Amino acid sequence: PNFFLASLGKMTARETIKYNHILLHAASILIKNKAILITGRPGSGKSTTLRKLVPPYLPISDDQVVVGSTKKGLVAYPSPFNSKIDLSKTKNTGYPIIGVIISAKNQKLGLTKVPAPEALGILLNETLLAISNKKVAKKVLNIVSPLSHRTFILSHQIHDNILDAINSQFRK
């Protein structure tokens, strides 16, 4: 099943870019009907971060999220590849993205803004699409580049209460 889902994800990534959307390796949550993406390297604590924020936040993806460029700006959609999330409380329209969190486990608790060039590299690495030509590269950059200006590293340890750090930045 993992091979099948991985193959399906790659095919979906190739199709979504045609419509100015990408598939990003990230979990996502809703806060006041706005999305926050949670990404990071394997084992960095993405799933742990997601579990610590639910409730009060509503999850819309656990491993992959569809990010689209629309007239309303960048939006996140519930992923068709969610395996553990009940999407019955979500809608099929996109949710405006207000930020990206890069999870960094086993460090002192803190939320730090990431410089845009560094964030851009990290986000491009999490894009589930082989960039095959200049046209595709431009579309991907048009989606990922604005996200790089709203990216934070969440440093934490397994026992930390991360909710206060998230609330301080995103519940304004």
Side-chain angles (χ1 to χ4, degrees), residues 74 116 120 123-124 140-150:
L74 292 179
L120 182 61
L123 293 170
L124 284 172
V140 170
L141 279 173
N142 284 341
I143 295 169
V144 174
S145 185
L147 291 177
S148 69
H149 298 281
R150 310 176 219 174

Side-chain angles (χ1 to χ4, degrees), residues 22-29 36-41 46-47 50 60-67 76-79 81-82 85 97 99-102 123 126-128 147:
I22 60 171
L23 197 57
L24 196 66
H25 179 226
S28 55
I29 56 172
I36 299 171
L37 309 182
I38 304 166
T39 191
R41 298 176 188 255
K46 291 183 300 293
S47 297
L50 182 67
I60 61 170
S61 67
D62 60 1
D63 189 55
Q64 297 176 11
V65 62
V66 177
V67 176
Y77 298 91
S79 171
F81 303 108
N82 288 313
I85 294 184
I97 300 171
V100 179
I101 295 170
I102 299 169
L123 293 170
E126 298 302 325
T127 302
L128 301 175
L147 291 177

Side-chain angles (χ1 to χ4, degrees), residues 6-159:
S7 298
L8 192 57
K10 288 179 183 177
M11 288 187 294
T12 303
R14 285 193 301 269
E15 287 301 309
T16 58
I17 195 63
K18 293 177 185 175
Y19 304 97
N20 294 320
H21 290 62
I22 60 171
L23 197 57
L24 196 66
H25 179 226
S28 55
I29 56 172
L30 294 181
I31 173 174
K32 297 181 180 179
N33 281 325
K34 293 186 168 78
I36 299 171
L37 309 182
I38 304 166
T39 191
R41 298 176 188 255
S44 65
K46 291 183 300 293
S47 297
T48 300
T49 300
L50 182 67
R51 280 193 302 276
K52 286 183 173 187
L53 295 173
V54 176
Y57 301 123
L58 180 66
I60 61 170
S61 67
D62 60 1
D63 189 55
Q64 297 176 11
V65 62
V66 177
V67 176
S69 179
T70 70
K71 291 177 184 175
K72 296 186 282 185
L74 292 179
V75 295
Y77 298 91
S79 171
F81 303 108
N82 288 313
S83 58
K84 302 171 191 163
I85 294 184
D86 174 13
L87 295 175
S88 63
K89 295 179 183 173
T90 64
K91 52 188 178 181
N92 285 332
T93 59
Y95 296 96
I97 300 171
I98 59 171
V100 179
I101 295 170
I102 299 169
S103 183
K105 190 165 67 170
N106 298 325
Q107 298 181 27
K108 185 178 177 186
L109 180 62
L111 191 66
T112 310
K113 182 116 173 58
V114 180
E118 182 183 342
L120 182 61
I122 293 167
L123 293 170
L124 284 172
N125 192 50
E126 298 302 325
T127 302
L128 301 175
L129 177 68
I131 298 175
S132 55
N133 59 51
K134 288 181 182 179
K135 184 177 177 182
V136 170
K138 185 176 179 180
K139 284 184 171 188
V140 170
L141 279 173
N142 284 341
I143 295 169
V144 174
S145 185
L147 291 177
S148 69
H149 298 281
R150 310 176 219 174
T151 301
F152 299 83
I153 288 186
L154 174 65
S155 305
H156 60 98
Q157 295 184 21
I158 197 82
H159 63 276

